Amino acid sequence: KSVLLDVVHCSLKSEKNKLVLVAGRLLFTAEYYLFFANVLGHVTKHKMHVVDDVAAVKRTKRIPNAITVVTTTRKFHFCAFAAVDTTLQLMLQLREVEKSRRAATTVEGRKRSPRAHNGDGDDKQKSPPRSPRKKEKTKNASSGGGGGSSSSG
């Protein structure tokens, strides 16, 4: 699960009808940009991975407060931002952080060998010697049947 970093209210230009704007929310996590809208029961969801899917994030030239996200398969035009510059800066920062995190993990992965090496020329892992288990005798602490005592008087 990813931690939600920020939520921005915006509109998405409809793919079918270019004149229709779908009002919704753009959610940001460390790995994804997510758009979610629910207009009169019609749910619109788009999930874009910051590094794998998104090819470019830029300002739209025709609309002053819009951002275009170009993915590997299509373009998304988000507009009607309250703070378009701050949102664009956040999107670019998340992308750079994820790229640097991935580069660091691939470098670490190359340093470590996939097999455990114990230094004596043998690449197999040795398990510590097992000690034999001793079975302990259980002592029966009850003498005389273990039932309750009854007194007559």
Side-chain angles (χ1 to χ4, degrees), residues 100-111:
S100 62
R101 186 188 68 80
R102 280 194 174 191
T105 56
T106 56
V107 168
E108 286 178 11
R110 289 182 191 152
K111 288 180 183 177

Side-chain angles (χ1 to χ4, degrees), residues 78 84 91 106 120:
F78 298 104
V84 68
M91 292 173 96
T106 56
D120 62 355

